[in-house]
Amino acid sequence: MKDKLLEEFISSFNYDNRLAKYEIDTCIVWTQLLARKKIVDSKKAKKVIQQLKKLKKNIKDKLVPAEDVHYAVEQTIEKMLGKDKELAGIIRTARSRNDLVVSDERLMIKDEIKEIIGYLKQVISSIIEIANKNLDVAMVGYTHLQPAQPVLFSHYILSYAWWFVRDIGRFRNCYTSVDVSVLGSAAFAGSSFNIDRFYVAKKLGFTNLSMNSVDAVSDRDFIVEFISCCAITMMHLSRIAEDFILWCNPNFGYIKLPKKLTSGSSIMPQKQNPDYLELIRGKTAKVYSAVVGILVLMKALPLSYNRDMQEDKVYLNLAVDTLKDSLQVVNKIFCNVEINKERLEDDLRNYDFVLATEIANFFVRYLGFNFKKAHKKVQLLLEYCWRSNKKISELLSEEYYKIAGIKISEKLFSELKNIINPQKIAANYKTYGGSSIKEVKRQIRELKLFLDKS
Ligand code: ARG
């Protein structure tokens, strides 16, 4: 009598069936190898391969559910072979589900990394586009979420692109760790059959071979590494989400999202909430929990294979699906967001104390103050402004003298007035990698080069 509870408990089919196409590819190559090495009769092998190829064309309809994807493929092939069903048994020679599952997962992750890198590149291009369209727009930049200094909006937004350049680098390094063929390790000890592991690796597109069969079937560090890469990218997406959520609050008003990228309220008719962004932030938790989940799953497991590891796919799928969806949604947001230049400019006027650093720089340059002294003097001016509700950009030279004891000639004062223009300041941080038009253009060139060559 079947025990449904036990059957379902042991089954991974619901979450490993996405490995089916890799499983089938592997079965084809494996059967070819067995025939080449004369371990099985080549006519029999041909019949099996024929059915495997047929199954690959129509996995969705043909694949019969079983305990896991490996048994599902085997049992489906048996069914498809009809009277020759016995032949399906040849594929099992010199291999085990233990090395098969690792091989399937490695093949899947290699494909997923390629897809993720594609999405990351799209996001980088969309950011470049926004920067290009708003090259010389100035804004208030923030540290501690407090108005800090004027910067170019293009420079600010391009910082996100560099996050993703590094994410791509991390995924590429991870690809190298994943790109290892383990087939031939069998249950954990290898096999006494004359198996050509190099042939199998080459046919399946693996670059390297595992060196120890016990290690090959028992570790999942490559999955931990991959999920960690996903988590780092989600961290980046969550930070963009947070910035954008703030920026579409009317107190900032720096950006506007189109209706399709917001969601209304069932009670407050005026609402257009940034729910997609909030969900990017929220779904980051899933990917972080996947990192913790896989680490806990693997903690203190004895050698070699243990069935616990079947659950690795729960975390793998969670991380990869959440990340891929989130990247595509973020890209839609970058492609459709409207930048409100007027509001960015308003805030430069509202928070004109962001000019303070440049006034101190002026004192250093033209009055020979050391920076500490200049900083103190500007602080005096600022306190005066806040007490008397004035803007620092509107102070008269007499006030500089009265409040901070600074004597400035008429000529120098008009020079100062000329310098403390937020747009000019924002476009003039000449340092390599700073917020100047020239540097922003260089960044865009570098980013485009990166996209072209990679
Ligand atoms: N579905 C299993 C997994 O993912 C396959 C390996 C089962 N191996 C075994 N010896 N019971 O880990």
Side-chain angles (χ1 to χ4, degrees), residues 10 12 16 67-71 96-98 101 105 220 305-313:
I10 203 170
S12 52
D16 70 9
E67 181 181 305
D68 62 17
V69 67
H70 320 288
Y71 282 162
S96 148
R97 286 186 292 164
N98 296 359
V101 68
E105 288 178 322
R220 297 291 183 271
Y305 176 82
N306 298 275
R307 192 64 180 258
D308 312 43
M309 287 189 265
Q310 169 163 291
E311 300 270 316
D312 60 0
K313 291 146 217 89

Side-chain angles (χ1 to χ4, degrees), residues 223-224 227-228 230-231 284-296 312 314-320 322:
I223 302 183
V224 179
I227 298 178
S228 303
C230 295
T284 303
K286 284 189 181 174
V287 183
Y288 287 7
S289 71
V291 178
V292 177
I294 185 95
L295 284 171
V296 176
D312 60 0
V314 172
Y315 306 106
L316 175 60
N317 294 344
L318 182 65
V320 78
T322 309

Side-chain angles (χ1 to χ4, degrees), residues 365-395:
R365 253 183 228 125
Y366 292 92
L367 305 181
F369 291 6
N370 68 51
F371 193 83
K372 191 172 171 185
K373 181 175 172 191
H375 185 279
K376 265 201 185 126
K377 295 284 184 195
V378 178
Q379 232 165 17
L380 291 174
L381 295 173
L382 282 169
E383 277 158 17
Y384 167 73
C385 288
W386 289 329
R387 267 196 319 270
S388 47
N389 203 14
K390 290 190 174 199
K391 289 201 179 304
I392 200 160
S393 54
E394 288 163 3
L395 290 186

